[in-house]
């Protein structure tokens, strides 16, 4: 039925991952038509892993010569992160075979598409991929608020118990969550120069280390002069939860219903699941995560 977005009939499984009808078309067109350039940078996440934050930080790092962080005209002050760094499958959903990628290199894109469904041209290129994952308990709570409370017109409504049950079975946007994470984790072990694996929790705990790591990975490490001027703190300040969530441009707009702030800047904390999941639910998710990640070397 129309108002039950999370119920399986209006989701499709493609190459082992779940997609909504309205997003699959863009995913297929991206997979078929995208021609990667070796200088491209692709940010990848499962939904609600901190994409908005990663986009802002990456954009600020990569474009810091053209757009000094302290500039009053910095694009992040005027556009939200999802406009500045678009989801590439969304560009293909808007224009099926030929979206306008007129930027000069490096082109910076984001996607939620799982590794297996990325275009061949990305698999076979030196495109730099940054994958940010988040612990599944916080991710689930973030997704529950996003889908049920904020976007019921797109996602439908389920009780937390129903959605939890589906999430555990892998039925989640671009899910199963665990398979999504493992696809990029395994690739990062095989090709560390091209695939960097980050955790939201590490970004919260050691933001300066992670920002330096990102700049190095992108091939534009901070110079001693930049370090002396406090570039890392400036980037983190511009892109902090407080800073981004209080910008006018991030309060409304982007989403047609105008609930940008609550949708993308809810709490931004680690461990909020404790306020929402029962002990039994938490234990179940921990157990699935342990089983799924067993032998991979990946732990939360
Ligand atoms: P919560 O719902 O737990 O608050 P995405 O961008 O992938 O949709 O993820 C959204 C989650 O990232 C939300 O989590 C949001 O609050 C958090 N987030 C957004 N901007 C952030 C920032 N600058 N710093 C830390 N967390 C941020």
């Amino acid at each position: 039925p129309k108002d039950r977005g999370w119920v399986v009939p209006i989701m499709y499984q493609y190459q082992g991952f779940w997609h909504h009808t309205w997003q699959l078309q863009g995913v297929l067109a991206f997979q078929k038509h995208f021609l990667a350039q070796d200088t491209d940078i692709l940010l990848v996440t499962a939904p609600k892993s901190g994409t908005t934050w990663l986009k802002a930080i990456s954009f600020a790092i990569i474009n810091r010569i053209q757009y000094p962080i302290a500039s009053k005209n910095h694009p992040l002050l005027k556009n939200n992160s999802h406009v500045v760094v678009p989801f590439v499958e969304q560009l293909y959903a808007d224009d099926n075979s030929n979206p306008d990628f007129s930027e000069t290199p490096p082109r910076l894109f984001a996607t939620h598409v799982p590794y297996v469904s990325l275009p061949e041209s990305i698999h076979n290129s030196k495109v730099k991929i940054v994958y940010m994952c988040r612990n599944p308990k916080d991710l689930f709570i973030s997704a529950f608020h996003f889908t049920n409370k904020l976007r019921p017109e797109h996602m439908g409504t389920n009780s937390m118990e129903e959605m939890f049950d589906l999430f555990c079975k892998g039925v989640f946007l671009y899910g199963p969550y665990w398979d999504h994470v493992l696809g990029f984790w395994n690739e990062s072990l095989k090709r560390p120069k091209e695939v960097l694996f980050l955790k939201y929790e590490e970004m919260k705990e050691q933001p300066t280390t992670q920002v330096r790591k990102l700049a190095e990975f992108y091939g534009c490490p901070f110079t001693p002069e930049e370090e002396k001027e406090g570039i890392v703190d400036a980037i983190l300040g511009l892109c902090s939860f407080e800073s981004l969530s209080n910008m006018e441009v991030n309060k409304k707009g982007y989403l047609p219903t105008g609930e940008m702030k609550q949708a993308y800047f809810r709490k931004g904390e680690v461990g909020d699941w404790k306020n929402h999941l029962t002990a039994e639910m938490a234990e179940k998710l921990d157990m699935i995560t342990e089983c799924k990640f067993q032998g991979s070397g990946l732990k939360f």
Side-chain angles (χ1 to χ4, degrees):
K2 237 179 163 183
D3 65 336
R4 306 278 287 177
W6 284 94
V7 175
V8 176
I10 73 153
M11 288 180 88
Y12 288 94
Q13 209 175 18
Y14 175 62
Q15 298 188 316
F17 290 85
W18 289 100
H19 301 271
H20 270 288
T21 3
W22 50 265
Q23 67 181 181
L24 188 56
Q25 190 195 346
V27 171
L28 294 174
F30 170 39
Q31 190 183 39
K32 186 167 170 197
H33 298 293
F34 185 77
L35 289 177
Q37 298 175 6
D38 280 343
T39 48
D40 287 345
I41 293 171
L42 188 64
L43 312 177
V44 192
T45 54
K48 311 321 287 175
S49 301
T51 328
T52 317
W53 192 21
L54 180 65
K55 284 181 175 188
I57 288 179
S58 299
F59 181 88
I61 294 174
I62 290 164
N63 295 290
R64 65 188 190 271
I65 304 295
Q66 191 181 354
Y67 302 116
I69 305 304
S71 162
K72 295 236 162 17
N73 291 320
H74 197 285
L76 285 169
L77 301 174
K78 302 190 169 163
N79 304 282
N80 78 63
S81 308
H82 299 292
V83 171
V84 172
V85 186
F87 284 110
V88 66
E89 62 270 36
Q90 213 160 309
L91 297 177
Y92 276 100
D94 294 343
D95 181 339
N96 211 293
S97 58
N98 192 24
D100 182 17
F101 302 140
S102 53
E103 295 169 65
T104 44
R107 302 184 303 178
L108 178 59
F109 300 112
T111 188
H112 290 315
V113 171
Y115 191 79
V116 66
S117 302
L118 287 179
E120 272 306 296
S121 72
I122 292 185
H123 288 154
N124 299 327
S125 73
K126 293 199 160 49
V127 170
K128 290 201 164 148
I129 297 177
V130 175
Y131 186 82
M132 183 144 92
C133 80
R134 187 177 191 191
N135 84 73
K137 288 179 285 190
D138 282 337
L139 177 140
F140 171 75
I141 291 303
S142 186
F144 177 72
H145 282 97
F146 181 77
T147 56
N148 266 41
K149 300 213 162 146
L150 294 164
R151 307 206 70 190
E153 81 288 2
H154 271 83
M155 314 283 197
T157 48
N158 285 118
S159 68
M160 184 177 289
E161 288 69 25
E162 282 173 307
M163 190 169 151
F164 182 80
D165 188 45
L166 289 168
F167 184 81
C168 289
K169 290 179 176 144
V171 186
F172 177 68
L173 275 183
Y174 299 93
Y177 157 84
W178 299 273
D179 299 17
H180 197 281
V181 173
L182 280 175
F184 289 90
W185 169 254
N186 290 333
E187 212 49 36
S188 76
L189 298 179
K190 280 190 237 154
R191 300 196 289 134
K193 281 198 182 127
E194 276 109 37
V195 185
L196 176 68
F197 191 92
L198 300 178
K199 286 180 178 161
Y200 177 88
E201 292 75 19
E202 288 173 351
M203 194 78 140
K204 290 281 293 185
E205 227 176 89
Q206 313 153 320
T208 53
T209 310
Q210 304 303 323
V211 165
R212 287 194 185 103
K213 197 192 276 182
L214 277 170
E216 268 168 39
F217 182 73
Y218 293 142
C220 53
F222 302 118
T223 62
E225 292 75 39
E226 285 181 313
E227 286 283 3
K228 218 187 285 168
E229 286 164 11
I231 183 96
V232 178
D233 285 343
I235 289 172
L236 285 167
L238 175 68
C239 302
S240 72
F241 182 88
E242 225 194 333
S243 155
L244 291 179
S245 64
N246 283 314
M247 286 176 197
E248 275 317 304
V249 69
N250 287 330
K251 288 185 182 166
K252 286 209 183 298
Y254 184 61
L255 294 179
T257 39
E259 76 280 3
M260 180 69 196
K261 182 161 168 145
Q262 304 94 304
Y264 292 98
F265 305 98
R266 192 183 62 92
K267 275 196 174 175
E269 285 170 9
V270 175
D272 185 44
W273 62 267
K274 290 183 191 133
N275 300 317
H276 301 277
L277 293 181
T278 63
E280 203 177 301
M281 285 166 139
E283 203 177 308
K284 184 167 176 181
L285 267 189
D286 284 345
M287 214 174 67
I288 297 173
T289 304
E290 210 182 304
C291 280
K292 283 282 207 171
F293 290 170
Q294 202 171 32
S296 71
L298 181 58
K299 280 201 170 64
F300 277 103

